[in-house]
Amino acid sequence: MQLPLKEAWTRILDDARREVPEKDFKAWVESAKPVSLENDRLVLGVPDEFAVRWNEEKNATLFRRLAERALGRPVAVVFEVDADRLQRPQMDFFVAPPQPQASGSGSGGPNPSAQPLNERYTFANFVIGKSNELAAAAAHAVAEAPGKLYNPLFIYGATGLGKTHLMQAIGHTVTRRSPSLRVLYVGAEQFINEVIESIHSRTMPELRRRYRNEVDLFLVDDVHFLEGKEATQEEFFHTFNTLYEAKKQIILTSDRPPKEMPGLEARLVSRFEWGMVADVGQPDLEHRIAILRKKQEQDHLETTIPDEVLGFIAEYVHSNVRELEGCIIKLLLYASLRHREITIDLAREALADKIRPGQEQATAQPKLTPTIDKVQDVVARRWGVTPEGLRSKARIKTLTVPRQIAMYLAREVLQMQLVEIGQAFGGRDHSTVIHSVDKVQRQIQRDRQFRERVESARQELYAP
């Protein structure tokens, strides 16, 4: 006798509750609904396409095992978007969304501080890989249950890796499901400027009302800009507390984790870590190809840009998602101006500034992962000091710059933790490492000769 679907699903849920951590259970298992059980095929409805992909990749084995246990026989488990959800209006980046909802204004009129959400930044357009899957899962869970699972959600990573995309995807999902919820998306620099202006104009009560009383979902980009701004940090602290205590969802992004922001008050660092801290890293080759294919699909370029050209771009452009997409735009313009079809040769011409001399030959050979000893040896030789000097506690001027460069390369190339870097350079603390890395990054941006010297040292690290 076949067990009724409702009873079978109750058993599956009971077993899953015992096996799966509570937060994962609420985010992924509890949100699934049984649709049908026919011909040894269990169909489960989930909220959206993102949840379909996630469950197929991460939870299919779990559901199959639990279903077999409950039913006493093997069954196939299939995930599909719940029919009721499909009838709801979807965000499509080709169609401009209704203005009141796009800015998350809700029913009370637009918040003067709110910036509009980018209509392309939805979960459907986000490509998941190893470098961002934790952040993507956390963002999706927050969108499903704002203010209940991860509050705040703190996403960090380098520029152009998808932090803002994930943050705004939450905003789009929440406003689509609950148009009356008020979403406030701002950059930290805007918050700083509004605090300064409100102090000068004596309108702080109005600012506090906008940020504390008229918000259900608070999205703040680039909170690292709050470092060193004492008055603004004080205001942000009280705004954070008010929203948190009211169970309003807070999502923050930064280029580094809270503990690596020495200019941030300890009480803010502590609060930023209350919920979930998730990082997004640089995509690997397969992930970069998937990102480019998504761009190809979105812009209907399947017949314009061959797959082998996408592979070529992915192989030689490593930095971030934004640069990958920029390469597509540049390649299209280059081909249009020269009236030529897009090929690998054309891509090599168009993107010559993205491919460093010798990089093509270098990528043909497998790269050996450099070590911290090699970083110190290469930098010491190129800057005329000794590796022992870099590792020493000495603070003489001739050692300062090369030591900072070696710390920068250890962070950027070896992806070492700040504490590990500090230990490798005479037991220095993490704030010294942060200062060194930041100083080199700023110098690279404004000094071409310095940038070329550092880049040359980076290339030597991979030499046999």
Side-chain angles (χ1 to χ4, degrees):
M1 179 177 176
Q2 181 165 301
L3 200 65
L5 176 58
K6 187 175 180 181
E7 187 177 339
W9 182 245
T10 300
R11 291 188 184 182
I12 292 170
L13 282 183
D14 289 342
D15 286 345
R17 199 184 301 271
R18 287 190 288 270
E19 293 192 27
V20 179
E22 183 183 357
K23 288 183 176 179
D24 291 340
F25 178 85
K26 288 183 177 179
W28 305 109
V29 180
E30 197 172 47
S31 61
K33 306 295 179 189
V35 176
S36 65
L37 175 58
E38 296 176 357
N39 302 321
D40 291 335
R41 185 173 179 267
L42 173 62
V43 178
L44 300 178
V46 293
D48 52 33
E49 288 292 344
F50 183 93
V52 169
R53 296 199 307 272
W54 183 266
N55 279 303
E56 285 174 346
E57 292 179 12
K58 306 294 181 183
N59 296 326
T61 303
L62 168 72
F63 278 109
R64 279 197 300 271
R65 179 166 53 78
L66 297 183
E68 182 176 353
R69 184 188 302 170
L71 296 165
R73 65 183 190 280
V75 295
V77 178
V78 178
F79 301 94
E80 61 180 35
V81 180
D82 186 70
D84 291 338
R85 306 267 187 171
L86 284 172
Q87 293 172 4
R88 300 179 185 181
Q90 300 294 309
M91 291 298 299
D92 187 334
F93 74 84
F94 292 112
V95 180
Q99 288 305 312
Q101 288 181 220
S103 60
S105 59
S107 57
N111 188 320
S113 295
Q115 297 178 17
L117 303 181
N118 187 321
E119 57 203 36
R120 289 191 178 220
Y121 288 170
T122 64
F123 283 123
N125 294 337
F126 190 81
V127 182
I128 301 173
K130 290 178 184 177
S131 62
N132 61 23
E133 63 179 0
L134 174 63
H140 191 270
V142 165
E144 288 293 311
K148 295 180 181 176
L149 284 176
Y150 307 120
N151 199 19
L153 172 59
F154 190 103
I155 304 173
Y156 73 91
T159 299
L161 295 177
K163 305 184 298 293
T164 301
H165 188 143
L166 279 176
M167 168 188 278
Q168 294 197 16
I170 297 170
H172 280 308
T173 301
V174 169
T175 53
R176 188 180 70 238
R177 290 180 184 162
S178 305
S180 62
L181 286 184
R182 298 160 300 180
V183 177
L184 177 55
Y185 166 66
V186 297
E189 281 192 296
Q190 177 186 330
F191 184 81
I192 293 166
N193 292 335
E194 288 193 27
V195 169
I196 294 169
E197 177 60 31
S198 296
I199 291 172
H200 288 169
S201 60
R202 300 183 180 180
T203 55
M204 286 302 291
E206 169 64 18
L207 177 82
R208 290 168 183 152
R209 181 184 62 78
R210 291 201 309 271
Y211 277 92
R212 301 179 192 179
N213 301 338
E214 299 180 357
V215 180
D216 296 306
L217 183 66
F218 190 35
L219 315 176
V220 187
D221 236 342
D222 298 325
V223 292
H224 50 273
F225 285 122
L226 294 176
E227 285 191 270
K229 313 289 194 308
E230 293 180 7
T232 305
Q233 286 187 37
E234 177 78 17
E235 199 59 38
F236 195 86
F237 172 79
H238 293 296
T239 298
F240 183 102
N241 281 351
T242 300
L243 294 175
Y244 183 86
E245 289 168 7
K247 295 185 171 21
K248 308 299 185 183
Q249 180 67 52
I250 301 166
I251 299 138
L252 312 168
T253 72
S254 172
D255 65 358
R256 69 197 78 168
K259 279 195 166 113
E260 294 185 13
M261 290 191 267
L264 207 61
E265 292 180 7
R267 58 181 181 172
L268 274 179
V269 171
S270 171
R271 278 158 177 76
F272 289 175
E273 294 179 331
W274 273 353
M276 163 71 81
V277 177
D279 72 310
V280 289
Q282 288 190 333
D284 58 22
L285 176 62
E286 292 78 9
H287 192 187
R288 294 196 297 273
I289 291 172
I291 290 166
L292 289 170
R293 283 185 176 154
K294 186 69 174 179
K295 177 74 173 172
Q296 180 191 55
E297 172 193 324
Q298 286 175 345
D299 294 349
H300 308 295
L301 300 172
E302 292 88 345
T303 59
T304 307
I305 304 180
D307 284 348
E308 61 266 22
V309 174
L310 296 184
F312 174 82
I313 296 172
E315 189 172 356
Y316 297 115
V317 179
H318 300 176
S319 56
N320 59 54
V321 179
R322 200 171 295 156
E323 187 171 6
L324 283 171
E325 294 182 342
C327 286
I328 293 289
I329 295 169
K330 183 173 182 180
L331 180 57
L332 289 170
L333 179 60
Y334 192 88
S336 174
L337 290 172
R338 281 160 177 72
H339 305 289
R340 290 166 60 187
E341 287 189 9
I342 293 177
T343 63
I344 289 179
D345 287 339
L346 184 74
R348 189 178 287 111
E349 290 176 29
L351 307 176
D353 60 322
K354 305 293 183 185
I355 302 172
R356 293 186 289 270
Q359 187 179 358
E360 286 193 69
Q361 289 79 1
T363 54
Q365 302 295 327
K367 284 186 176 181
L368 299 174
T369 303
T371 63
I372 185 61
D373 288 337
K374 184 159 188 179
V375 168
Q376 291 170 337
D377 289 344
V378 167
V379 172
R381 180 168 43 75
R382 284 175 170 268
W383 269 265
V385 295
T386 65
E388 293 74 22
L390 296 181
R391 291 190 284 265
S392 73
K393 294 183 181 292
R395 299 188 178 184
I396 57 178
K397 192 173 181 181
T398 53
L399 289 172
T400 300
V401 171
R403 184 183 287 134
Q404 289 173 340
I405 292 166
M407 287 182 177
Y408 166 81
L409 291 172
R411 182 68 167 166
E412 291 294 309
V413 177
L414 308 186
Q415 300 290 303
M416 290 175 65
Q417 297 296 316
L418 297 174
V419 174
E420 295 175 319
I421 297 172
Q423 289 300 316
F425 290 89
R428 286 168 167 78
D429 62 35
H430 77 281
S431 61
T432 301
V433 180
I434 292 171
H435 170 75
S436 299
V437 172
D438 284 350
K439 189 165 184 180
V440 173
Q441 285 175 332
R442 288 195 299 271
Q443 187 72 7
I444 282 173
Q445 289 173 358
R446 62 173 178 257
D447 186 334
R448 185 176 60 82
Q449 272 191 322
F450 181 82
R451 179 171 64 250
E452 289 174 354
R453 250 187 117 178
V454 173
E455 185 55 40
S456 180
R458 183 202 295 262
Q459 290 300 310
E460 187 179 342
L461 293 178
Y462 292 105

